[in-house]
Each structure stands twice: as C-alpha cells, then as structure tokens.
Amino acid sequence: MNSRTRAIVLATGLAVLAAVPPVAGLLNQPFYLDLVRRIMIFAIAALSLNLILGYGGMISFGHAAYLGIGAYAVGVLAHYGIDNGFLQWALAIGASALVALVIGAVSIRTSGVYFIMITLAFTQMLYYLGISVEEFGGDDGMRLAAKSQFGLIDLNDGNAFYYLVLAVLVLFLFLGHRLVNSRFGMVIRAARSNEARTRSIGFSPYPYRLAAFVIAGAMCGLAGALLVNHTAYLTPEFMNWTRSGELMFMVILGGTASIAGPVLGAFALLLVEDALSGWTQHWQLILGPLLVLSVLFFRRGLAGLLFGKNE
Amino acid sequence: MLEVEALATAYGQSQVLFGVSFGVRAGEVATLLGRNGMGKTTTVRSIMGMVPIRGGAITFEGRPLQGLPSYLVAQAGIGLVPEGRQVFPNLTVRENLLAAAADRFRRADPWTLDKIFALFPQLAGRRGHFGSQLSGGEQQMLAIGRALMTNPRMLILDEATEGLAPLVCIEIYRAIESLKASGLAILIIDKNLRALTRTADRHYVLEKGRVVWSGVSSELVADRDAQHRYLGV
C-alpha cells in the first residue's frame, strides 16, 4: 500500500470519527459518543506508549502511571478549587514528565526483563501511594469536583469535549509521525535494533531513550487529564498494573511499527470488550483466546493487515 | 595518526592480545592480517572501546582513546564498518545514513547522501528500502556509507568483503581506492590478499595476539614464506 492510499485510509478514519457526534445525536444514542470518546482517550495513551515500546524497544509495563498522574493532577487541583483547565493540564503534563524523568533515569540503565520489572515496580508504588492518601479518597477515589474550565470550550458539552479529544488525538498522531521520522527518531529506532552499532556511529543511546521516555510520559499524562474529565471520577485503579497491561495490549494488537497502529488496537480491544460484555458476563473467557489468536496470526498487528508491509 | 602500543586484551580469564603494537599514518591504508582467531577483530573492538583493555595505550591524533566508551571513540573521528555489516534492519537506507550523519570537524566538504549514492550508485535505487531488504553487498555498501556519514578522520573496515560475491568485492575495493585517493586513513581487515597488497600501503600480521610480521606491500608480496606461514596461502 503506497503512501497515497494510506493517507486516504487515514482521512476516512478521521472523517468517520468526526461524524460520530452528529450521527449519535440523530439516532439519539449518546452512549456511542461516550464510548468512542473513551476509546480515543485510551488511543492517545496507547499511542504514547508505542513511541517507547514499538519504536524504542523499551517495554514499559508501567505506562498507566502517567494516566494516573495526569488524572490526579487535575483532580487534586479541582479538589482545592482550582478549576482552570490550562493550569490543570499543564500540571498534568509537567508532573507526568517529571515522574517519567525519574523513573526513566533509573530504569533505562537496565534492559529486558529488568526494565519491565522496574517500570512495573515504580507504578505499583504510585498505585499504593494513591490508595494510602485519604485526603483524596484513598482506595475509593473521589469525584472530580468540577470539569476543567477552558473559557470558550465547555467540557460539560459532550460534543465539544468529544471534538477536543479528537483534536488531541490528531495532533499526537501528527507529532508522533514527525518525531519518529526525525533524526531523533532514527537514533531511537537504531538503538532498538543494535545498541552497540549506535554507539559506534557516535551516539550514546541513554539520553535519547530518556528523552523519548519523558515525551511518552508527558503525552500519556495529558490522556490522564482527559480521562478524569471523561469519567468525572478518579481512583488509584487508573494506575493499576492491569491498566498498563491493557495499554500494552492495544499497542501490540494494533501494531508497533506504525503510529496509527495503537489507535486501531485501542478501538479493536475496547469495541470487542464492549460487545462481548453486553452479551455475557463471562466475556473475558472469550476475549482472552481472541487476543492469543490475534497475536499468533497477526504478528504485525492490525496496522500490518491494513497498511501492508512498509508502514 | 593512530598509534597502538603494547595492547593487551582479555575476555574474562582468557587473554587474546599480548602486546599488539602498530600504527596507521595519515592518508595511509594499513591492514591487519592473520588467520581466524588470532586477534584481529579483538584489536578493532579494543580500539573502539567495545571491550575493556588490560594494558597498553591507544592514541588517535595525540589523544588517548583507551577507556573511552565507543560513542566517544566514534566522535573522536574513527568510523567503523563492523564485521557482519550490521546495518539497522528497521531503518531505510536513507535513514541508516541520516541517523549517522555528523560533521564534528567542520570539514570543508562533508559527506552527504548524494555523495554516498555517487560512491555506491546501487544504493541510490534502494534508498527507500529497509536495511533488512538488502543483499549482502548492498548491506556492506550501506555500512561503509553509514560510517562515512559520520565524516571520520579514519575508517576501519572489519572483514571488508567477507561472504561477498567477486563482482561486489571489486566494487567495494574500487570504493576503498577512491577513499584512499581522497586522503582518508583506512585500516582494513580482509582475507583478499591480492586486493589488499594492491590497495594498502602497510601490513601487520597477527598471530596468537602478537604482531609477528610487518612491512609494506612489496615486501609482503616478495615474502612467500611469511604468506605461507602466517596466512596459509
């Protein structure tokens, strides 16, 4: 598939997403607006994870940490009566980047299974921190006092919020594409395939990887800020390790070798989950084998099926 | 330009290099010769900082290199074309070259994509292909191109033509000749003795981790005994 048809596929996908609010309104089914918005938020998180997992070869099993940090940044400020959205979201991004810097600085010195375990361990620490802070609801979490205020854009308006999420998704698809194809992205990808060779052309991979890790964390932090506005509720469950696993699965199911892959993965996983859970309460029994089969037979993910080899 | 003095290197308990000494002068093409397992690649890996050395000194343009991590050795101006080529399989030809591009010494006439493609026209048509989709010869051309894009002051080729078809070998040596003509210092490891004696100026023969013979091309060609004893030809 050449780049032109790929652009057409992408444009069609975006057109379909843009058409969801009016169609849902016409059919009087606000549920779908809600569902697709939630999926897009997870797509943003999965997309950010893919920057380090797919392109950087850094298998972070703790990416949900930044969803949680972004959500808590918004929730805690709102709890103290600060509902300025620009401030809240800036904190969500900044705090996520800072935590990613600390976690990355330690974990990127390791690799393979150690990297997986360290990123998991850090996220579990944050998860238990969330549980232990009674002021913010502890285990039970707390209601978001008020949605982020942006002046012109009112997040209480379902359609406006939907289009904001879509805009962030499109922006991140664009930024991700630019990043991966930049010189910086080339070094990250080169280091994934051959670290020793990357050194011998004059690069120490560490600072490049750390920068990518921080960028991915910051992007996921914004997804967290969106998520808490979407659910209007926050709990430490946002940082649960199963959430990190779901994000990884979206990335792998969708395809690690393309920017749009994880978005497909998020849609496939959450739509199937939604359909199955409406049908039987033992839906996980069916979803599990489906996921195993998809990994066995679509090694390049859904993006590989759709876009062909050279994406 | 490159001076290696009494270099000693070991992998764990087993010592491989027992005081290797040699040098490469500016603009010169030198070779490391010897049978398999005599320490040629280990010498290269020691220079590049890819294995820790036990003793000896490595200086490049008066600067000590020993103890430096390999990315700093590369930044000092040594471009490596590694054994087994090892191009980045998940990057395209163009990206393999651009990822390496650097002009740390502000050369008057730095390497560009176009110049690499002029040196290896075969690569030009493959610029959008991934490293994994290239033939062995194309991979070697790309590996050389990638090293050149760092604008090195010296090039090291480890197993320059190993496993390549004869026509491709000719192509590689043609490129090496043209690099030599441009004044680049080069250190080559290869088995192709006839091409080496034609292209290179000076030769060092390694045996069991020591330099046992050294001399210029005409001396090596004349010394049938050394060729037979150390190289098995």
Side-chain angles (χ1 to χ4, degrees):
Chain A
M1 181 180 276
N2 62 34
S3 60
R4 187 151 161 223
T5 30
R6 200 178 301 155
I8 294 171
V9 169
L10 196 66
T12 313
L14 292 176
V16 169
L17 287 180
V20 166
V23 172
L26 253 134
L27 302 175
N28 202 16
Q29 291 277 11
F31 166 76
Y32 288 105
L33 185 71
D34 212 60
L35 176 68
V36 177
R37 193 170 69 200
R38 179 168 148 263
I39 293 175
M40 288 196 297
I41 293 171
F42 279 104
I44 292 166
L47 184 159
S48 74
L49 173 60
N50 188 38
L51 292 179
I52 53 175
L53 193 156
Y55 291 99
M58 290 176 270
I59 305 171
S60 169
F61 197 3
H63 210 60
Y66 313 106
L67 271 183
I69 292 164
Y72 270 89
V74 172
V76 167
L77 283 186
H79 181 69
Y80 292 117
I82 302 167
D83 56 9
N84 182 320
F86 296 103
L87 203 64
Q88 289 179 337
W89 292 21
L91 181 68
I93 294 170
S96 301
L98 196 66
V99 172
L101 183 67
V102 173
I103 296 179
V106 177
S107 54
I108 293 171
R109 296 185 185 279
T110 68
S111 61
V113 79
Y114 301 101
F115 183 85
I116 297 174
M117 295 317 288
I118 290 180
T119 49
L120 173 62
F122 271 112
T123 305
Q124 287 298 91
M125 279 160 53
L126 291 167
Y127 173 67
Y128 286 109
L129 180 69
I131 285 182
S132 63
V133 181
E134 290 299 329
E135 173 73 11
F136 308 128
D139 208 354
D140 295 329
M142 64 177 175
R143 208 172 54 79
L144 182 65
K147 290 201 174 175
S148 303
Q149 300 299 313
F150 284 100
L152 280 177
I153 306 168
D154 181 8
L155 298 193
N156 288 309
D157 175 349
N159 286 354
F161 188 15
Y162 180 96
Y163 284 116
L164 179 64
V165 173
L166 180 59
V168 173
L169 178 63
V170 171
L171 176 71
F172 278 15
L173 280 169
F174 174 72
L175 288 181
H177 179 76
R178 289 296 298 268
L179 192 71
V180 162
N181 291 298
S182 70
R183 164 67 174 275
F184 175 82
M186 290 175 198
V187 174
I188 294 285
R189 282 144 64 205
R192 186 197 78 176
S193 70
N194 197 329
E195 189 169 334
R197 209 50 51 215
T198 311
R199 288 180 201 281
S200 71
I201 57 171
F203 295 104
S204 170
Y206 182 81
Y208 287 85
R209 285 184 170 152
L210 185 57
F213 197 87
V214 170
I215 292 168
M219 288 169 93
C220 193
L222 183 57
L226 293 168
L227 184 62
V228 71
N229 275 290
H230 172 82
T231 58
Y233 201 86
L234 81 162
T235 99
E237 287 304 310
F238 284 8
M239 296 182 276
N240 197 322
W241 66 273
T242 57
R243 196 39 77 67
S244 298
E246 275 172 33
L247 291 179
M248 280 172 89
F249 210 92
M250 290 169 193
V251 170
I252 293 161
L253 179 66
T256 54
S258 81
I259 287 293
V263 178
L264 294 176
F267 272 89
L269 184 72
L270 296 178
L271 285 176
V272 170
E273 190 181 292
D274 182 69
L276 289 179
S277 63
W279 181 48
T280 162
Q281 70 181 95
H282 305 295
W283 55 274
Q284 283 171 324
L285 264 180
I286 303 166
L287 185 63
L290 276 180
L291 296 182
V292 172
L293 287 175
S294 70
V295 172
L296 282 177
F297 292 107
F298 308 138
R299 294 289 297 273
R300 300 181 47 81
L302 296 171
L305 275 182
L306 191 60
F307 295 126
K309 238 181 133 185
N310 279 1
E311 170 75 7
Chain B
M1 181 169 225
L2 177 74
E3 291 296 330
V4 175
E5 268 300 312
L7 179 64
T9 302
Y11 295 107
Q13 290 293 312
S14 59
Q15 190 161 355
V16 179
L17 301 183
F18 299 87
V20 171
S21 300
F22 69 97
V24 182
R25 297 175 200 170
E28 185 182 68
V29 176
T31 75
L32 286 179
L33 303 172
R35 294 198 181 94
N36 288 334
M38 294 302 164
K40 304 185 299 287
T41 292
T42 302
T43 303
V44 170
R45 291 174 58 87
S46 303
I47 295 169
M48 290 306 295
M50 297 159 94
V51 287
I53 66 172
R54 291 279 169 89
I58 306 163
T59 47
F60 183 63
E61 306 211 300
R63 258 183 72 190
L65 289 187
Q66 68 268 24
L68 288 185
S70 45
Y71 69 93
L72 291 181
V73 176
Q75 289 180 11
I78 299 186
L80 174 67
V81 180
E83 187 178 12
R85 307 183 265 278
Q86 306 192 18
V87 298
F88 299 118
N90 57 337
L91 266 60
T92 63
V93 166
R94 189 179 147 274
E95 289 175 334
N96 262 284
L97 295 170
L98 287 181
D103 184 14
R104 298 189 176 89
F105 308 109
R106 305 258 167 266
R107 286 171 44 135
D109 192 22
W111 284 94
T112 60
L113 280 183
D114 288 339
K115 284 193 199 165
I116 300 292
F117 291 146
L119 185 64
F120 298 117
Q122 206 178 330
L123 282 184
R126 306 280 265 155
R127 69 179 75 199
H129 289 77
F130 284 97
S132 57
Q133 298 170 321
L134 302 181
S135 71
E138 288 165 341
Q139 286 185 24
Q140 184 66 350
M141 294 172 196
L142 179 56
I144 294 172
R146 182 178 63 183
L148 291 174
M149 286 299 277
T150 67
N151 284 296
R153 292 200 260 198
M154 183 181 146
L155 193 65
I156 300 181
L157 293 113
D158 193 356
E159 298 295 357
T161 61
E162 187 183 40
L164 299 183
L167 277 175
V168 180
C169 293
I170 292 170
E171 178 85 350
I172 299 290
Y173 271 97
R174 184 194 54 73
I176 293 171
E177 295 269 10
S178 102
L179 293 174
K180 181 189 179 186
S182 77
L184 186 65
I186 306 174
L187 177 65
I188 311 179
I189 295 174
D190 201 14
K191 301 246 159 33
N192 193 338
L193 198 60
R194 276 183 55 192
L196 286 178
T197 49
R198 226 176 308 121
T199 306
D201 305 303
R202 190 176 301 275
H203 307 270
Y204 300 91
V205 179
L206 286 179
E207 187 164 79
K208 293 182 180 156
R210 289 183 179 85
V211 174
V212 290
W213 190 96
S214 68
V216 297
S217 286
S218 55
E219 292 170 326
L220 183 60
V221 170
D223 195 342
R224 304 290 307 178
D225 179 49
Q227 286 186 31
H228 180 72
R229 190 146 34 110
Y230 301 126
L231 307 174
V233 289

